[in-house]
Amino acid sequence: MAQFDTEVSQVTMPRIGDRAPYFEAPTNHGNISLKDYKGKWLVLFSHPSDFTPVCTTEFVGFQEIYPELHQLNTELLGLSVDSVNSHIAWIRSIEENFNTSIEFPVIADLDKEVSMKYGMIMPGESQVETSRAVFVIDDQQKIRSIIYYPLTTGRNMQEILRLVKALQTTDEHGVSTPANWQEGDKAVVSPPKSQEEAAKRSEQEDIDYIDWYISKKDIT
Ligand code: BEZ
């Protein structure tokens, strides 16, 4: 019997704002659990399969942003349904072919326990491989953002980095970040919550007032 109904999938998916589902799992760096990341931000991502071309380019890309993620108190953790030995062999091959040392661990989710908890398998696309999912989990172990890409499209590492910076900027300054925001740009001030607050917005000195519902603020 098929594990999924591919017309309407019955899989539970975590959502933004949920507590990150707990996991303990084998990786190529030994066993790892969610509690190992308490007090840190975590980018948990899945890839379809070891020894595949798009995934290989992504691993090189993830490694490129890893030092900058570290500076943001953020860890990287990969996942696929391949074995620890497969991860070891593939990472050795990436190191040889691309002169890149992959420093972050990768979960070997052979029994699909973690991928099912996180809704990483898109049965309409593949019942055996994980899709290109990205979960940004904050230092309180809450899911702050979720991105999904299909099997055939490699992710944009600079966008993942930008997303972590944007989320941390929101936490630090109590602001939102506008379209295409980059570190150093002005942020968006939360809209007024009352008629009275709206009327006073134009008098506020520390903001760039555009209209009652949109103002920007320098946060550098
Ligand atoms: C790839 O990484 O190249 C890939 C993996 C699964 C399906 C399609 C492409």
Side-chain angles (χ1 to χ4, degrees):
M1 199 172 84
Q3 200 176 356
F4 300 106
D5 173 350
T6 56
E7 296 287 315
V8 182
S9 303
Q10 302 294 315
V11 185
T12 310
M13 313 276 283
R15 288 170 292 192
I16 291 174
D18 287 355
R19 169 164 289 282
Y22 187 72
F23 61 82
E24 290 173 2
T27 79
N28 56 322
H29 291 197
N31 287 347
I32 278 179
S33 76
L34 182 65
K35 72 172 165 8
D36 296 330
Y37 295 98
K38 257 194 175 150
K40 292 185 172 191
W41 288 62
L42 173 65
V43 175
L44 169 65
F45 72 94
S46 56
H47 68 276
S49 185
D50 296 350
F51 294 101
T52 49
V54 177
C55 299
T56 301
T57 63
E58 287 192 326
F59 262 54
V60 173
F62 275 119
Q63 180 58 42
E64 277 168 7
I65 63 166
Y66 194 39
E68 210 173 331
L69 285 173
H70 258 172
Q71 286 175 8
L72 300 169
N73 187 33
T74 303
E75 278 299 328
L76 259 182
L77 176 59
L79 175 151
S80 77
V81 298
D82 300 288
S83 67
V84 166
N85 279 352
S86 170
H87 289 338
I88 292 169
W90 182 42
I91 283 167
R92 285 171 66 93
S93 157
I94 294 173
E95 288 175 355
E96 277 169 28
N97 288 310
F98 296 89
N99 197 27
T100 299
S101 183
I102 303 298
E103 294 169 323
F104 53 85
V106 187
I107 294 175
D109 196 31
L110 280 173
D111 58 7
K112 300 193 174 85
E113 201 180 314
V114 184
S115 23
M116 294 299 284
K117 274 186 186 170
Y118 277 81
M120 289 167 164
I121 293 176
M122 300 281 152
E125 197 179 32
S126 171
Q127 301 216 9
V128 291
E129 295 162 310
T130 38
S131 66
R132 301 185 193 279
V134 180
F135 290 82
V136 181
I137 299 169
D138 71 14
D139 51 1
Q140 307 298 309
Q141 309 220 301
K142 190 193 267 193
I143 294 177
R144 297 292 296 276
S145 186
I146 305 173
I147 306 173
Y148 283 104
Y149 268 50
L151 299 177
T152 50
T153 310
R155 287 160 283 199
N156 185 319
M157 302 305 149
Q158 291 308 314
E159 173 57 11
I160 293 167
L161 194 54
R162 190 191 78 95
L163 176 59
V164 172
K165 286 180 184 173
L167 290 165
Q168 293 187 355
T169 296
T170 289
D171 286 4
E172 195 181 330
H173 298 279
V175 292
S176 303
T177 49
N180 301 321
W181 177 87
Q182 295 289 346
E183 193 178 14
D185 289 353
K186 287 180 179 165
V188 165
V189 182
S190 301
K193 292 191 179 64
S194 67
Q195 198 77 32
E196 194 186 355
E197 237 187 274
K200 285 187 183 153
R201 261 295 146 95
S202 62
E203 295 156 19
Q204 214 173 310
E205 279 179 359
D206 61 335
I207 60 170
D208 290 353
Y209 175 85
I210 301 167
D211 204 337
W212 66 269
Y213 63 91
I214 174 167
S215 302
K216 290 190 179 179
K217 187 178 180 180
D218 192 346
I219 49 162
T220 53

